[in-house]
Amino acid sequence: MPVLIKNGRVITADSDRIADVLIEGEQIAQVGTSIDCSDAEVIDATGKYVFPGFIDPHVHIHLPFMGTNAIDDHASATKAALAGGTTTVIEMICPGPDDEPKAAFEEWKGLAEAGACCDYSFHLSVVRFDELAKQQVRDLVANEGVASFKVFLAYKGALDIPDEHLFELMEIATELGVIITAHCENAEAVDAMQKRLIADGRTGPEWHEPSRPRCVEADGVSHLCAFAELTGAHVYIVHTSCRAAVEQAMEARDRGVNVFVEAVAPHLVLDKTCAERPDFEGAKYVMSPPLRDAAEHDHLWKALASGQMLTIGTDHAPFNFRGQKDMGLDAFTLIPNGIPGIQERVDLVHTHGVCTRRIGLQDMVSTCSTNAAKIFGMYPRKGEIAPGSDADVVVYDPTYEGEFTHSESESQADYNGYEGMPRKGRPDIVLLRGQIVARDGRYAGDGGGGHYIPRQPTH
Ligand code: URP
Ligand code: ZN
Ligand code: ZN
């Protein structure tokens, strides 16, 4: 049956108007005023915003990392995504140094096919880089719809890529027209700082941030951008936490480097005092790059408003407080890095960005949906409300007021990093390719149903 969303305020990256949206099958059929369709199921969106389905360009679901595995599976993480208005995620495939890229792709895709409730695509981390891996990387781009790689400049001895490999990978990316996404922190500096702090008996989670201060991140960005300048690669800096790092990227952009910069929700609303909470509670907030001084929030929001930063993801990386985070009770270096947040992102951006007038509603759509679709080759199928686009639509209630709480989380993590924080706005109804999959901020689908979104090189 067709679905007709009536009288909503339809907000896209480049328009904002009262309109009706007619959905036929899995696609949007028509957008306009006074659309009639006698056999349609009607959703009255009077007083509501109607957004394109949100896209999270940076999530971890299946994540073997730091001696454990992230706690969500594809079902729980994508139910959480949909409950929060996110209809497409791009997950990082993170194989270990001995794993073949093709086997990793098949493993991750198989898990997603079995469980994902929202649509999904992948960034492929390149860790192993011998001749076989290089060939497989090329095959995955040519035949499997992989259009972005991931590199870690951090995590020495585990996931980090040596410069020799990085340079060659960037040459291959340029040749193939795919983009390199990068975690930018100088791995050697972090390693040295960690050793010094632990030797001095500074072992608690509050020492995580001092072990990788802002200059370490800015240095990573500068390094990646130098390689991008030399190789012509397009680069996308993930989870950028501070002004110093954004400035390095902007200097490179001014030199002609094709660099895109991502923010993630924790850096926009949480700060380093969270990691200083007593009784090891701070471990819940250990992520990398770390949470910074609260003064950074304004810089990041301004960078989003001005277009220096183009996207907002979550870096959803859920580890239980009990049984996982507490692996680092004796040394912060052993705390699995990451904070859950796939469900909370959209409402956090609405609460802390739009309601405080730091960004506008159309900025919210650009940064949380459309720009990711464009940068990563999914536009206009995703990130748009227009005839022919997938009918991924969020009917959003801007008047809802409540607070974030673990009891409403679909994620399997045993805590909510935003617990008790005020929440203004909530998705009323979320549609994925024409099907209602969430109501009133809760998952309401039948399980499964997510599709893989293969992508083409973008440049
Ligand atoms: O702390 C984080 N960000 N954990 C997930 C892995 C990564 O670096 O993105
Ligand atoms: Zn990272
Ligand atoms: Zn990440």
Side-chain angles (χ1 to χ4, degrees):
M1 187 199 286
V3 176
L4 181 58
I5 304 172
K6 290 288 288 178
N7 293 321
R9 183 171 165 193
V10 179
I11 303 163
T12 68
D14 42 39
S15 68
D16 181 348
R17 59 193 167 132
I18 303 296
D20 304 338
V21 178
L22 179 65
I23 295 167
E24 286 175 354
E26 298 202 337
Q27 265 102 41
I28 292 168
Q30 213 183 323
V31 184
T33 46
S34 307
I35 297 176
D36 269 328
C37 182
S38 52
D39 60 340
E41 174 186 349
V42 175
I43 297 172
D44 179 9
T46 308
K48 309 278 163 65
Y49 301 152
V50 178
F51 292 127
F54 292 101
I55 299 170
D56 192 334
H58 184 166
V59 305
H60 302 271
I61 301 174
H62 176 49
L63 177 64
F65 184 51
M66 296 186 73
T68 186
N69 283 286
I71 201 68
D72 271 327
D73 55 25
H74 283 82
S76 59
T78 56
K79 285 177 186 173
L82 290 168
T86 294
T87 49
T88 304
V89 297
I90 312 183
E91 182 184 1
M92 304 285 176
I93 295 177
C94 289
D98 299 326
D99 300 333
E100 291 183 18
K102 189 155 187 344
F105 174 77
E106 281 163 4
E107 180 186 356
W108 260 259
K109 186 157 176 261
L111 290 167
E113 277 167 356
C117 305
C118 75
D119 286 355
Y120 54 92
S121 202
F122 298 106
H123 305 299
L124 174 72
S125 289
V126 180
V127 186
R128 174 171 167 172
F129 199 62
D130 52 15
E131 290 310 312
L132 178 70
K134 284 180 221 172
Q135 191 49 53
Q136 291 189 351
V137 156
R138 289 177 180 280
D139 289 348
L140 290 168
V141 173
N143 304 318
E144 300 290 353
V146 173
S148 45
F149 303 143
K150 169 80 186 286
V151 292
F152 290 94
L153 305 194
Y155 306 128
K156 180 175 155 76
L159 298 173
D160 63 327
I161 184 166
D163 278 350
E164 185 188 357
H165 294 172
L166 177 62
F167 195 90
E168 191 179 344
L169 177 69
M170 290 175 90
E171 289 184 317
I172 293 174
T174 305
E175 178 200 325
L176 300 179
V178 304
I179 189 164
I180 302 266
T181 73
H183 175 140
C184 293
E185 290 180 296
N186 183 311
E188 297 294 339
V190 172
D191 186 57
M193 293 292 287
Q194 286 182 336
K195 284 180 177 144
R196 185 196 285 175
L197 287 161
I198 295 290
D200 289 349
R202 294 174 169 163
T203 58
E206 69 276 22
W207 295 104
H208 177 71
E209 199 277 342
S211 76
R212 43 213 316 151
R214 290 172 287 199
C215 64
V216 165
E217 187 181 345
D219 184 58
V221 172
S222 162
H223 187 72
L224 185 87
C225 288
F227 276 35
E229 189 169 351
L230 296 170
T231 59
H234 286 50
V235 290
Y236 175 97
I237 320 282
V238 300
H239 51 35
T240 310
S241 74
C242 59
R243 177 159 74 168
V246 176
E247 279 174 355
Q248 288 299 323
M250 292 307 105
E251 274 183 30
R253 194 197 267 185
D254 290 346
R255 300 196 303 272
V257 175
N258 289 299
V259 54
F260 308 94
V261 186
E262 173 193 87
V264 292
H267 294 139
L268 292 168
V269 305
L270 302 173
D271 66 72
K272 71 179 189 184
T273 61
C274 296
E276 294 165 3
R277 291 186 189 169
D279 302 324
F280 197 62
E281 194 84 1
K284 294 178 177 173
Y285 298 93
V286 166
M287 68 172 291
S288 297
L291 300 176
R292 304 292 188 193
D293 286 332
E296 293 289 353
H297 294 166
D298 264 347
H299 299 308
L300 298 180
W301 285 111
K302 279 186 183 136
L304 286 160
S306 69
Q308 292 185 337
M309 301 180 98
L310 287 173
T311 56
I312 305 175
T314 56
D315 197 11
H316 180 74
F319 296 97
N320 278 342
F321 181 57
R322 295 192 194 288
Q324 294 192 298
K325 290 281 185 180
D326 56 13
M327 291 160 61
L329 266 169
D330 296 330
F332 70 85
T333 50
L334 302 178
I335 300 169
N337 286 199
I339 303 177
I342 198 168
Q343 185 167 340
E344 290 78 19
R345 173 185 64 139
V346 169
D347 296 339
L348 285 167
V349 171
H350 186 256
T351 305
H352 292 265
V354 173
C355 293
T356 59
R357 299 182 185 278
R358 286 155 142 167
I359 63 169
L361 281 162
Q362 287 181 246
D363 300 326
M364 175 172 162
V365 174
S366 307
T367 55
C368 295
S369 179
T370 313
N371 288 346
K374 288 181 175 168
I375 293 168
F376 294 117
M378 295 189 281
Y379 185 84
R381 178 172 178 186
K382 302 293 186 188
E384 184 58 281
I385 295 187
S389 293
D390 278 0
D392 301 343
V393 181
V394 177
V395 179
Y396 195 83
D397 178 4
T399 66
Y400 174 84
E401 295 209 18
E403 48 183 51
F404 295 100
T405 167
H406 182 249
S407 63
E408 291 182 16
S409 300
E410 301 284 350
S411 167
Q412 290 175 172
D414 64 2
Y415 72 100
N416 183 325
Y418 307 96
E419 189 70 40
M421 288 173 62
R423 171 183 181 189
K424 292 185 183 164
R426 186 177 74 173
D428 244 16
I429 294 181
V430 180
L431 296 108
L432 174 69
R433 285 179 280 97
Q435 298 290 318
I436 293 178
V437 286
R439 285 184 191 274
D440 302 329
R442 302 306 292 261
Y443 176 69
D446 300 327
H451 285 183
Y452 175 54
I453 308 297
R455 297 178 289 118
Q456 296 302 313
T458 45
H459 54 270

